[in-house]
Amino acid sequence: MTTATTELLTVPDVMARLKLGRSKVYDLIRSHRLISIKIDGARRIPADAVRDFILGQIEEAA
C-alpha cells in the first residue's frame, strides 16, 4: 500500500497564497478551476492544486 502526503490548505490559506478574497476563491472552486475536497463539511484544497492553478495561469498568460 502506497501512502501519499499532500498538504491540505484551508480557504483562508489559499486566500493568503493567491492574494485573493474569499468569494473569488470559492468562485474558482465552484467553476472547477481550483480542485477542492470536503471533509465532514470542511473545505480543503490540496497545495498541489494551488500550484497547478498558478502554473496554468502562467501558461495562459504566455
Side-chain angles (χ1 to χ4, degrees):
M1 181 178 193
T2 305
T3 59
T5 56
T6 300
E7 180 183 12
L8 295 176
L9 305 171
T10 63
V11 169
D13 292 336
V14 175
M15 289 167 54
R17 286 189 185 199
L18 296 179
K19 307 288 190 274
L20 295 173
R22 183 177 186 271
S23 295
K24 185 60 180 177
V25 172
Y26 278 108
D27 285 345
L28 293 171
I29 291 169
R30 200 173 8 264
S31 66
H32 303 286
R33 293 176 64 201
L34 187 61
I35 296 168
S36 71
I37 61 172
K38 273 185 120 175
I39 302 172
D40 292 334
R43 182 67 61 186
R44 296 294 178 260
I45 301 96
D48 292 344
V50 175
R51 187 201 70 230
D52 293 344
F53 172 77
I54 293 168
L55 292 175
Q57 293 300 297
I58 291 170
E59 281 182 16
E60 281 183 24

